[in-house]
Amino acid sequence: MIKPDRIVTSTCPYCGVGCTLELHVKDNYIFKVTSPFDSPVNHGNLCVKGRFGYDYVYHPKRVTTPLIRKTPQKAGERAQAFDLSEWREVTWEEALDYVADRLVEIYQRDGSDALAVYCCAKATNEDNYLLQKMYRALFRTNNVDHCTRLCHAGSVVALQQAIGSSAMSNTASQVMLNDVFLVTGSNTTENHPIIALQMKDAVRQNGAKMIVVDPRRIELVDFAELWLPLKPGTNVPVFSAMAHVIVKENLINHEFIANRTEGFTDFIESLEKFTPEYAEEVSGVPAEDIRKAARLYANAKNGAIYWGMGISQLSHGTASALALIHLAFLTGHIGRDGTGLNPLRGQNNVQGASDMGAMPFHYPGYMRVDNDENASKWEQAWNIEPGGLSRKLGLTTTEILSHAHPGGVRALYIMGENPMMSEPNLNVTREHMQQLEFLVSQDIFINESGAFADVFLPATPFAEKDGTFSNTDRRVQRVRAAHPPKGQARPDWQIICDLAQRIESRLGSATAKWNYASPEEVLREMAGVNVDYAGITYERIDKVGLIYPVPDITHPGTPTLFKEEFPRGRGKFIPLDYVHIMEEPDDEYPFILTTGRVLEHWHGGTMTRNSVLDEAYPEARVDIHPADAEIHGIRNGDPVRVQSRRGEVVLRATVTEKTSVGVVFIPFHFAEAAANLLTNDALDPQAKIPEFKACAVQVFPARENDLANPEVVVLRGRY
Ligand code: SF4
């Protein structure tokens, strides 16, 4: 048996559950991952990604030397370079000087609006805080965003409107206190596996009743009291019909509505049209099941709602989330332990990156950028002259790329994200990427987006850096280096600080601080203004994390929010209308495509497709219902061509009752059959989140040799 030199406690770099990892290290190599049984997050359990998915750290394709493209790239002619022979290895000095020169040249020529940055939901709080600071303090732009825009932006906007706070109201482990809970738009077993374990325990051990509302027959249905298999995009009528039943049958919590909410009278008028029969007509869910679900949830002692991106990734994602919020307001199932409104955040640190201000409308702590008082607090913290920070709302991720043209965004900096896999309508995304004048990629592999870059800055993965992640529970936890960086790779926070100092010297100013001794010093600076983190220190979270808000150094953390009031005062009912998905199926494109993740992979695949996990799930598959497969002459494993108005992919079919008749599902991790070639880039007008969860497609039988070969690595991302 191998004896480790040391065991380093850290936090999983994949999903928002934030499991505690013990990294067993021998000769500066992690050979095993375990988890302590006393971890309050995961109690010793890990899913396959946390247990085995760390090996990408040692993958031979990982880039550990700074690179500059051999052939200078021009706007309009930018091309991808996956092969190292197309890049020149350079020193850090040359790479950072080159980036600083080009960014400053473009800034001085075209101004703040010409620059934009993608922060990273996989990087630490400290990395994200510094990158948004660099763009705001030095380039005076709020063109700062990250992939929260692509996952829960609809939930964030809805919660901000109705409550004034956008994080989960309760912790995931409080599911053990629920007697009824509703899970919707979340294949929790595959996307938040450890939370799914707790949900199943709540049913088996405590007798809790679970209601699943989902178009797919996900694994949780086996444990559910009730499954409402709605047509994708019909959340608003189904949940509003539940609200209709709760009001008509007088199952409402009168005291809560009177004391804690506003807008009830207008709201109940708006519910008249949402009868269960109407909802059945548009969603396919039997009216009687909608009634049963409404009664079950409303009559619970402790009812809670957990949701995923099936709610938010729609062109009416904000309205979908509001429809859920109304259910909690009507019944008073919020503000107590074991209740709440709980959007399950996707990536390991999407909550933290949002908290750190990696968004175009907010500084750290969700302080609006267009508010003078907020801006002046950050001007003081960063030594900026009064009025110096931009009050103009920035562009979102999707808008940044669509503004990539002369007169718009000319230079983009991408830390750890992969828009060439994660944006909708990738054929158009590719055209936008090609229009950039200058592109920087700070990452660990040359992925489909980094392949377009002029400069590649090799960063360290989670196992080679210190910092913090904030999980979906709002729990801020330590990330610790297991061993020194490989090659010349450097932690993101150090790269950003070195680059920022170069930019400052070129701009002739030296204002904000960049010479931090450690990431802890970065967190302390941020917590000096962001009151939610004010009482968090590395010492206090050495063993277990703290759940923010932690307003002072003795505060124990806040697992349950809104016990007395909501941040906006009263919870606001907002009347809704049913808005259809932007592209309904028709004769030409008769199926609805819905996209998502599978257990073994993660997002654009930068980490998991360079891991042993790729052997466990090596190719893209499209799920199709047996009734549809029979009509189209498709057998399990057959190659099929899936086509939308925007693109096509060829992949194998899985014939399964996991999906509904008329609905096909493709995971979005596989570049050789990228689901986002098909998806619709229609946006929610408020949250600007794309409609990943529903577009119209056709499915045809294809030939074996039409399948893309995932082994031909250089073709990945070239479609
Ligand atoms: S459930 Fe999420 S955080 Fe836990 S091990 Fe799996 S991927 Fe990591």
Side-chain angles (χ1 to χ4, degrees), residues 316-423:
H316 55 278
T318 303
S320 288
L322 282 168
L324 292 173
I325 294 167
H326 293 153
L327 294 176
F329 287 173
L330 286 174
T331 55
H333 287 322
I334 187 157
R336 286 176 285 115
D337 294 348
T339 65
L341 288 162
N342 300 299
L344 300 173
R345 306 305 302 262
Q347 301 229 45
N348 57 323
N349 199 36
V350 67
Q351 185 64 57
S354 305
D355 299 343
M356 295 304 114
M359 293 195 294
F361 314 142
H362 298 106
Y363 294 115
Y366 304 93
M367 298 163 72
R368 292 277 302 190
V369 297
D370 51 358
N371 175 300
D372 267 335
E373 200 183 324
N374 293 339
S376 71
K377 283 185 185 157
W378 288 104
E379 281 160 0
Q380 283 170 31
W382 296 338
N383 293 323
I384 306 275
E385 72 284 3
L389 288 176
S390 170
R391 269 63 166 169
K392 184 173 150 189
L393 301 182
L395 299 172
T396 62
T397 53
T398 35
E399 290 170 333
I400 286 169
L401 280 174
S402 63
H403 281 72
H405 50 66
V409 172
R410 306 314 298 129
L412 177 61
Y413 195 115
I414 303 177
M415 175 171 78
E417 302 239 338
N418 190 0
M420 280 304 299
M421 287 293 289
S422 59
E423 291 285 318

Side-chain angles (χ1 to χ4, degrees), residues 118-238:
Y118 280 11
C119 293
C120 177
K122 289 183 281 296
T124 63
N125 287 324
E126 294 77 3
D127 299 334
N128 281 291
Y129 171 75
L130 288 172
L131 193 52
Q132 62 87 36
K133 174 179 170 179
M134 183 168 93
Y135 269 72
R136 290 194 159 112
L138 301 187
F139 294 131
R140 309 295 167 97
T141 180
N142 290 311
N143 289 344
V144 177
D145 208 359
H146 75 292
C147 71
T148 187
R149 190 66 41 206
L150 306 176
C151 55
H152 264 302
S155 314
V156 169
V157 171
L159 287 163
Q160 287 286 352
Q161 286 177 357
I163 284 176
S165 162
S166 53
M168 274 176 59
S169 64
N170 295 61
T171 63
S173 60
Q174 287 186 25
V175 73
M176 297 305 283
L177 305 176
N178 304 153
D179 51 312
V180 176
F181 60 100
L182 189 153
V183 182
T184 180
S186 161
N187 183 1
T188 321
T189 312
E190 306 223 21
N191 291 324
H192 297 87
I194 300 302
I195 294 177
L197 282 185
Q198 292 170 342
M199 289 175 169
K200 289 184 260 187
D201 279 350
V203 171
R204 284 183 300 216
Q205 293 175 18
N206 295 354
K209 306 264 190 273
M210 173 165 46
I211 305 163
V212 173
V213 184
D214 202 288
R216 302 172 68 215
R217 198 187 187 295
I218 56 173
E219 191 242 8
L220 285 185
V221 171
D222 293 341
F223 298 80
E225 181 78 6
L226 209 50
W227 172 39
L228 276 49
L230 79 181
K231 190 178 134 197
T234 58
N235 302 307
V236 170
V238 169

Side-chain angles (χ1 to χ4, degrees), residues 12 14-15 17-19 46-47 49-50 193-194:
C12 181
Y14 286 108
C15 90
V17 178
C19 294
L46 292 173
C47 81
K49 290 191 291 292
I194 300 302

